[in-house]
Amino acid sequence: MKATELASLNIGEAAELIRKKSVSPVEITRACLEQVERHDRRLHGYITVLADSAMSEARHAEQSIARGEYLGPLHGIPLALKDTFAMRGVRVTAGSKLLEKNVLDYDSAVIERLRKAGVVFLGTLNMHEFAFGATTANPFYGVARNPWDQERIPGGSSGGSAVAVAASMCLGSIGTDAGGSVRLPASLCGIVGLKPTFGRISRFGTLPLSLTMDHNGPMTKTVADAAIILDAVAGPDPRDPGCSARPVSRYREELASDIKGLKIGLPKEYFAEAMDPEVRSAVIAAVQKLASLGAVVEEVSLPHCKYAPPTFVALAMSEAASVHARDFRSKPGEYSPELRDLLSMGLLIPGRRYLQAQRVRTMIVRDLAAALRQVSVIVMPTSTIPAPRIGERSTTLNGKTVNVLAALTRLTSLFNLTGLPTVSIPCGFTAAGLPIGMQIAGKPFAETTVLRVAHAYETNSEWKDRRPAL
């Protein structure tokens, strides 16, 4: 196979070739590094490329597999992670100037578990500064560009992860999601982004943004690939007080495409609000496809969820300001002007407003719980608009001028406030060739159900293998 063909494989395909010894981890790793060399000067998906150590790890994987010591579907697979996970001996910046020389002497829980699975680490990926934003227009490490249209944003804050996966500069990634930062770039870049239940994946060694809403999640080319990564990294960890002790499922083994009789909820409030007409049409068509596969579609009501965006903003700004309080006061010049403004506002939010937001959050949680007693999953767009142009600040929806960032993130923060498992999958393209994403959310720790619906749709979609022509 040609190098470009090897890099374009998904994890499941590459794992099968490696298991059969038809392809070497060295060949696939080299192919991905060639993609990085060819495209990343323009795309800015990476912050740090670990070419030498990656090739060494690939050779070690090759030798282990030759000895019959195959570890499973991630053995010898080249991944790259968002630049926010502690990795021993590697600079981890969180996309910031403040941490530009931050070399750590330990691994995060995610890295530890991927090492045990035999992963090859290609490097760390670009992100919005300290994960506080939705564009990945990083002022220190380059403006990340969407592979489908390089004049457009990939979304954020895990934008570099989406860029690298979509452009086949790695076979998969893990990002972080406090308000949509895995799902939003997945939607805008035409890949799969899974935010599991809060506490399903340990956050030990992950630089925080919002302690009550941070999630870690896989970003991949297929739903099955997301299940493979989740199998490797999910599970209890006493080092993370927010990590659940509940046992994990066998996500890939339980993946199935049969959804006959499964109830899908459409929240009437969200579909009544302004969104790009091509986004609306694509998601409605995707829901009709699910119905044709045997699912039962019902309307559900989420009456208090219109308050999700302001509630999220109040909580995220307060919690981020708390995380950064010491450094921000002592080294304000190490932060970009944009982030300085946000943290300053966060420090000014009074405690009573934070508590009020938590009360509204409880109402939103109850809305979702009531709806999910009626249906198994809830489906809606991931973003109300496709990828905007770099630097674009406003757009028009239903004849009204709206803020681009608000339009991008309006539908994602709901599931960070509630901690529910949610996956974004491609469900179509605009006439201009931009990806459109659909998110599927389920009950707490029901990742198997969420993935099952996503897999059923993906299996029967006409664009599951569509990739950007770089």
Side-chain angles (χ1 to χ4, degrees):
M1 298 176 72
K2 295 179 181 179
T4 52
E5 294 173 330
L6 288 173
S8 297
L9 294 171
N10 61 50
I11 292 172
E13 292 168 339
E16 185 63 12
L17 292 172
I18 288 173
R19 186 187 67 81
K20 293 179 177 177
K21 301 177 185 175
S22 301
V23 168
S24 160
V26 172
E27 294 175 276
I28 296 179
T29 299
R30 185 180 293 117
C32 288
L33 289 171
E34 287 178 6
Q35 285 288 99
V36 175
E37 179 67 23
R38 187 176 298 118
H39 300 298
D40 202 51
R41 288 187 184 91
R42 174 70 172 167
L43 296 176
H44 297 297
Y46 277 78
I47 289 179
T48 301
V49 179
L50 303 172
D52 291 342
S53 63
M55 290 305 298
S56 176
E57 290 169 358
R59 286 189 288 270
H60 181 267
E62 180 182 56
Q63 293 163 4
S64 298
I65 293 167
R67 292 194 300 267
E69 300 169 0
Y70 182 64
L71 298 174
L74 288 177
H75 198 175
I77 297 295
L79 304 183
L81 272 63
K82 186 176 183 176
D83 194 57
T84 191
F85 296 97
M87 187 182 297
R88 186 175 59 253
V90 174
R91 180 183 68 153
V92 177
T93 73
S96 72
K97 181 181 179 183
L98 180 69
L99 300 179
E100 64 181 342
K101 297 180 180 178
N102 181 44
V103 178
L104 301 164
D105 61 359
Y106 70 98
D107 284 335
S108 64
V110 164
I111 297 290
E112 284 178 349
R113 293 178 182 185
L114 291 177
R115 286 196 197 280
K116 289 179 182 178
V119 162
V120 172
F121 294 100
L122 295 175
T124 68
L125 297 169
N126 203 357
M127 57 184 284
H128 208 99
E129 182 186 7
F130 280 119
F132 206 169
T135 66
T136 314
N138 192 294
F140 309 114
Y141 303 101
V143 175
R145 296 177 178 272
N146 194 313
W148 294 92
D149 180 343
Q150 295 179 26
E151 299 307 312
R152 297 179 183 270
I153 67 167
S157 64
S158 307
S161 294
V163 169
V165 174
S168 295
M169 296 191 294
C170 64
L171 267 59
S173 182
I174 295 182
T176 64
D177 190 318
S181 292
V182 161
R183 291 160 289 145
L184 178 61
S187 174
L188 270 54
C189 291
I191 65 169
V192 174
L194 171 65
K195 182 196 78 64
T197 307
F198 183 82
R200 183 70 296 175
I201 299 176
S202 172
R203 298 174 299 172
F204 171 76
T206 309
L207 289 167
L209 173 66
S210 169
L211 294 175
T212 71
M213 293 185 286
D214 284 343
H215 300 67
N216 298 331
M219 302 177 72
T220 57
K221 294 175 182 174
T222 70
V223 174
D225 285 1
I228 289 171
I229 292 180
L230 188 61
D231 276 332
V233 299
D237 183 357
R239 298 168 298 181
D240 174 6
C243 195
S244 173
R246 290 180 59 151
V248 297
S249 299
R250 296 181 180 232
Y251 300 104
R252 190 192 187 192
E253 286 185 13
E254 296 177 24
L255 206 58
S257 57
D258 181 11
I259 56 170
K260 290 179 181 177
L262 187 141
K263 291 186 178 180
I264 292 174
L266 291 185
K268 63 181 181 181
E269 292 85 1
Y270 283 138
F271 282 93
E273 294 181 10
M275 69 178 66
D276 183 277
E278 289 185 288
V279 170
R280 183 191 302 275
S281 296
V283 174
I284 293 298
V287 171
Q288 291 171 346
K289 171 66 75 173
L290 291 170
S292 74
L293 297 173
V296 178
V297 179
E298 297 183 4
E299 191 176 74
V300 296
S301 180
L302 305 175
H304 297 103
C305 290
K306 61 185 175 182
Y307 303 117
T311 302
F312 165 78
V313 168
L315 296 177
M317 290 181 67
S318 297
E319 293 180 8
S322 175
V323 166
H324 288 278
R326 185 179 63 181
D327 286 331
F328 184 55
R329 288 192 174 100
S330 62
K331 304 173 185 176
E334 300 294 288
Y335 293 83
S336 69
E338 175 193 34
L339 189 51
R340 281 202 301 270
D341 289 346
L342 290 172
L343 293 175
S344 295
M345 288 187 283
L347 288 170
L348 294 174
I349 294 175
R352 59 189 172 83
R353 293 296 185 199
Y354 182 84
L355 292 175
Q356 184 181 35
Q358 291 288 20
R359 295 188 187 102
V360 177
R361 183 184 198 171
T362 299
M363 297 165 67
I364 293 169
V365 168
R366 289 173 178 167
D367 277 1
L368 266 297
L372 287 168
R373 285 193 290 271
Q374 179 182 340
V375 297
S376 294
V377 297
I378 291 172
V379 173
M380 65 177 73
T382 307
S383 169
T384 62
I385 59 173
R389 295 187 181 279
I390 293 168
E392 189 175 359
R393 296 185 177 277
S394 62
T395 189
T396 302
L397 291 179
N398 290 9
K400 295 181 179 180
T401 300
V402 298
N403 178 272
V404 159
L405 293 180
L408 283 170
T409 60
R410 182 163 60 85
L411 303 181
T412 53
S413 60
L414 171 68
F415 300 111
N416 295 87
L417 290 167
T418 59
L420 297 175
T422 316
V423 65
S424 177
I425 59 171
C427 70
F429 288 82
T430 68
L434 298 175
I436 297 170
M438 169 176 69
Q439 57 180 340
I440 303 163
K443 300 172 185 177
F445 300 99
E447 284 83 6
T448 50
T449 303
V450 168
L451 291 169
R452 176 182 161 203
V453 176
H455 182 63
Y457 176 78
E458 179 187 76
T459 300
N460 292 278
S461 76
E462 60 192 79
W463 33 70
K464 60 180 179 294
D465 300 317
R466 190 166 167 180
R467 301 285 177 258
L470 294 171

